[in-house]
Amino acid sequence: MISGVAVINGEGRMQPGVFPGRWSPRRSIPLDIEPAATAAATALMEAGWWQPGTGKEVAGGLVVACDGASLAPALRFARELRDRPEGAKGPSDFLFSLPSSVAATLGLLFGLTDYQSTLVGSRDSAVRALRHATDLIALGRVPRMLLVALSVTPGERSAVAWCLDPLVPGGRYPVRIESGFPADRLPTTISASLPAANGLLRDASTWLLSQRGSSLVTFEASDAHAWIRLEWKGN
């Protein structure tokens, strides 16, 4: 079911020129969104859904978990309103102060127009986004989905991307996915190293990237806000 995975910490590597016809090569990708673009591109390439330089639209849906990416542009826009109440305002900071701008930017870069949504929060938005994406696939609303979780803090920028495709038997990472919140079940899973749900998704991604064996193994992690369980379904 998982065809591509990527984890990006710090600055990403995507350049505007790899999106011909979809993004101006003279316009840089916003700094706080760029890790999400790099994670998305890396996962999409691993899944075989996208290749740089083609300009082709990727079929599928997009769910984004956004934690903090809109804060810096919102503060800049607020300062501009305060310091220049009568002057003309530039559109960039206003647009990127909206949490949905991450999904909108990824849509411009890659397509994924079958479905798009954004979940916002500092704790459990990543797991809620994972659950939402798997629900949409299970209900037949979309044939496949790109999940991106972006976290931006004063000291860190990171992004995780998963390509979910039930139409590929087994997938590159053949796992059963379960996720939820403490009210859903008893908190018996292993404690994760990071407190936020985006950290759970990063830990799960690291585990996925390390698994190439044939035996059935599992990954479980939780904190006070959410839990993830992945069961490897090797041959």
Side-chain angles (χ1 to χ4, degrees), residues 47-202:
W49 298 6
W50 176 82
Q51 289 297 322
T54 63
K56 292 183 179 179
E57 181 174 290
V58 178
L62 171 66
V63 174
V64 173
C66 187
D67 172 16
S70 60
L71 180 58
L75 291 173
R76 288 194 299 266
F77 184 63
R79 285 193 291 268
E80 189 174 25
L81 290 173
R82 179 196 64 192
D83 299 338
R84 301 174 56 199
E86 304 300 329
K89 311 298 186 296
S92 180
D93 283 335
F94 168 71
L95 290 174
F96 290 107
S97 69
L98 306 174
S100 59
S101 290
V102 178
T105 301
L106 295 179
L108 287 173
L109 296 177
F110 301 106
L112 299 163
T113 58
D114 292 351
Y115 179 91
Q116 293 186 4
S117 66
T118 300
L119 289 86
V120 180
S122 60
R123 282 290 186 181
D124 56 14
S125 60
V127 173
R128 291 189 184 278
L130 172 61
R131 196 175 205 182
H132 184 49
T134 54
D135 283 349
L136 288 169
I137 290 175
L139 292 170
R141 292 282 302 278
V142 291
R144 62 185 188 179
M145 182 75 74
L146 173 66
L147 164 69
V148 178
L150 173 64
S151 178
V152 178
T153 69
E156 180 187 24
R157 290 196 302 274
S158 67
V160 175
W162 288 8
C163 292
L164 306 175
D165 190 352
L167 300 181
V168 176
R172 185 178 294 271
Y173 305 95
V175 297
R176 179 181 292 108
I177 304 171
E178 296 178 0
S179 62
F181 309 96
D184 297 337
R185 72 180 217 184
L186 295 175
T188 58
T189 56
I190 302 167
S191 177
S193 59
L194 295 172
N198 194 41
L200 300 187
L201 207 61
R202 277 181 280 179

Side-chain angles (χ1 to χ4, degrees), residues 13 22-23 31 66 68 78 86 130 173 185 206 225:
R13 300 175 296 276
R22 307 192 64 85
W23 192 268
L31 186 63
C66 187
E86 304 300 329
L130 172 61
Y173 305 95
R185 72 180 217 184
T206 302
H225 302 273

